[in-house]
Amino acid sequence: MATEELEFGHEDRKRIYEYVERHGAVDPEDTRERLGIDSSGFRHHVAILKRDGRLEKGDGKLRVTIDAGAEEEYVSADLEFHIRPARQEDLTGIVGAIRQVAEERTYIEAESVADEIDHEEALLRHNELESRMFFVATVEDDVVGWVHLYAPEIDKLSHTAELTVGVLEEYRGHGIGSHLLSRGLEWAGSNGYEKLYQSVPSTNEEAIAFLEGHDWETEAVREDHYKLNGHYVDEVMMAVEL
């Protein structure tokens, strides 16, 4: 995934991919009309993009293909939950979950992720500038947790990715966060990343303890980096080697 040069062989093919990648999940005919491509040419280019594993079609929508494994089922005490790659349709649930966790635990980096995907209205990204991947935890098809990985496609940083992870308070204590984190690390390692990092306010002691319990280490502390409710708070910069 990291720093992969995207080759398409035809300008219209590239335009189709970039349109789908930018919008998340699109209606084929609407896409064709907006791009002004004739029907036979559009069908041909979509067929080649599907053949080459760039696009996929499901529920009548075109999406960028991101190979991220299958859905997994877990049972903990009286709770059954699933962890799977996110879909565009999960956007609203993910934004809601991130905002709730960020508000509870002062999770600044996660809050900025929610703002970005809410503004762009596209959940997953894979282009020559950036890659963005989500996995979600669901209970009865509702999103209750997420893990997010973001990597700018810059040669000097191509081995690193930023990670955020969170679970709604009502569903903590069942191992959901640990399974999400494990899934994120597994995906990152299989896609060539060597190091994951994230930053949290020093007041978010629960997040720091969670990461330390999974072998993350504090690399640096930036004093008084945040100002929360009128008080200066340190930023704890954490990372894990894969």
Side-chain angles (χ1 to χ4, degrees):
M1 192 96 168
T3 325
E4 178 185 352
E5 187 72 20
L6 300 179
E7 298 288 347
F8 297 97
H10 194 285
E11 182 60 27
D12 282 348
R13 207 169 296 161
K14 181 179 180 181
R15 290 172 62 217
I16 293 168
Y17 176 87
E18 289 178 344
Y19 183 89
V20 176
E21 195 271 345
R22 190 165 59 250
H23 291 85
V26 301
D27 177 79
E29 183 59 23
D30 180 64
T31 301
R32 185 195 69 77
E33 291 179 356
R34 288 180 178 273
L35 295 178
I37 302 173
D38 66 89
S39 296
S40 61
F42 183 80
R43 286 196 301 271
H44 170 71
H45 293 313
V46 169
I48 299 303
L49 288 166
K50 290 166 65 178
R51 180 202 70 186
D52 292 345
R54 300 287 192 200
L55 297 183
E56 60 188 23
K57 186 176 181 181
D59 301 323
K61 301 283 188 179
L62 287 173
R63 298 174 173 80
V64 170
T65 300
I66 298 179
D67 185 12
E71 181 170 333
E72 299 170 343
E73 179 180 332
Y74 299 92
V75 178
S76 170
D78 57 346
L79 183 71
E80 177 181 311
F81 61 93
H82 295 77
I83 292 177
R84 59 168 173 77
R87 300 186 286 263
Q88 179 64 23
E89 292 78 7
D90 295 317
L91 190 148
T92 300
I94 290 174
V95 169
I98 293 177
R99 292 202 191 286
Q100 184 172 332
V101 171
E103 184 176 329
E104 293 169 359
R105 301 294 177 183
T106 322
Y107 202 166
I108 312 299
E109 298 299 324
E111 191 171 5
S112 67
V113 170
D115 291 341
E116 183 174 350
I117 63 174
D118 200 19
H119 172 72
E120 292 185 1
E121 297 184 346
L123 192 61
L124 309 178
R125 305 305 304 267
H126 180 36
N127 57 48
E128 293 178 348
L129 297 177
E130 61 181 346
S131 292
R132 184 166 69 210
M133 184 65 200
F134 276 94
F135 293 91
V136 292
T138 63
V139 174
E140 297 180 357
D141 294 326
D142 292 319
V143 174
V144 301
W146 85 92
V147 62
H148 162 258
L149 298 106
Y150 172 78
E153 297 298 343
I154 302 171
D155 285 344
K156 294 180 177 63
L157 296 174
S158 62
H159 64 296
T160 69
E162 182 178 25
L163 178 146
T164 67
V165 60
V167 178
L168 297 181
E169 186 172 12
E170 297 86 348
Y171 293 95
R172 293 172 193 155
H174 296 276
I176 296 177
S178 295
H179 285 298
L180 282 167
L181 184 62
S182 176
R183 188 69 182 264
L185 266 62
E186 178 185 352
W187 179 88
S190 66
N191 281 276
Y193 297 105
E194 301 170 16
K195 177 181 178 181
L196 298 179
Y197 63 93
Q198 68 166 293
S199 297
V200 296
S202 59
T203 51
N204 194 343
E205 297 175 355
E206 183 177 338
I208 294 170
F210 172 77
L211 292 171
E212 288 178 341
H214 291 82
D215 300 323
W216 288 59
E217 296 182 353
T218 298
E219 289 194 323
V221 175
R222 291 203 285 190
E223 294 184 1
D224 298 340
H225 184 67
Y226 301 115
K227 192 172 186 179
L228 307 175
N229 300 320
H231 300 284
Y232 291 104
V233 175
D234 295 346
E235 176 190 40
V236 181
M237 306 169 74
M238 306 188 71
V240 65
E241 301 280 348
L242 300 181

